[in-house]
Amino acid sequence: MVVHLIRSEEYSAENFWQVVDLLKKFPGPLQFRTREQPISVDENEIQIEKFEKKKFEEQKDPPMVFSLIGKSSFAAAPEEIEWMSWNSIFSICKKYRTKHDVGDDEFVVLLTELSNQYNWFSAANPNGSRDLFVHTKFWDYFTGSDQRYPVAYLTSTGILKKLLFQDYSDLQKHWHEEPQGCMLDFCRQKKEISFKMRTGDVCPDCLQLIQERNLNHDVVAQIFEVMEGIRAQ
């Protein structure tokens, strides 16, 4: 199962390759591949707004249309936020698929410092294709950690959730509004993500769901190894 990792041009090559190299340390059926060329983002697709603490720190629910289809050193909050719509983000993934003839059964994961309209850490395309994005910025604010660990965690668990759930309605039935230290904690308050990454766990109910839906055992095992490896850091 091939996973194409791509980056938008504002995300540095150094940080990008740290994530790629980390994910490649965990062997299994997920084969992580990439190209050197970054993706240019049309500046007309980027929105800029002043920082608002409550909005910045909280993940929002997407509209229902999507459901239908050691010591940490924390940084200061930013003064302004740059973001794109989900449509713009997944349009980038679609163009990459077309340009490089990526198969429908392969994943495309965009790593970008640009935020998004619902302020999510990561998300999969609600329209069905195996496209995902991971927001790579502000980890020094939310976790105080090296960016490679949360970005790699969200990449791998995003793939698992895409395989596990039919759509956003299905996902929303199973995510945890109250943090449990599980992969499916929603983390509406964004700093709660530190808890689930430190546990590197999946709760019994979610483990049962994975078993019931008969996911590829080797893929699940590889992703669990990534989670455990990150937890150990």
Side-chain angles (χ1 to χ4, degrees), residues 170-229:
D170 187 19
L171 171 60
Q172 196 166 11
K173 291 176 184 176
H174 294 92
W175 74 37
H176 310 307
E177 282 285 350
E178 293 296 324
Q180 301 182 26
C182 173
M183 176 192 75
L184 282 177
D185 290 355
F186 180 59
C187 301
R188 190 172 298 280
Q189 299 303 316
K190 297 185 77 173
K191 285 192 174 182
E192 293 170 348
I193 196 170
S194 291
F195 178 40
K196 76 173 180 180
M197 289 200 308
R198 286 199 305 270
T199 62
D201 201 6
V202 178
C203 74
D205 289 342
C206 293
L207 280 173
Q208 182 177 350
L209 183 66
I210 290 171
Q211 292 171 349
E212 290 173 352
R213 298 194 173 184
N214 199 29
L215 267 63
N216 182 297
H217 175 78
D218 292 334
V219 171
V220 174
Q222 182 181 3
I223 292 172
F224 281 8
E225 287 184 10
V226 175
M227 293 168 62
E228 171 59 21

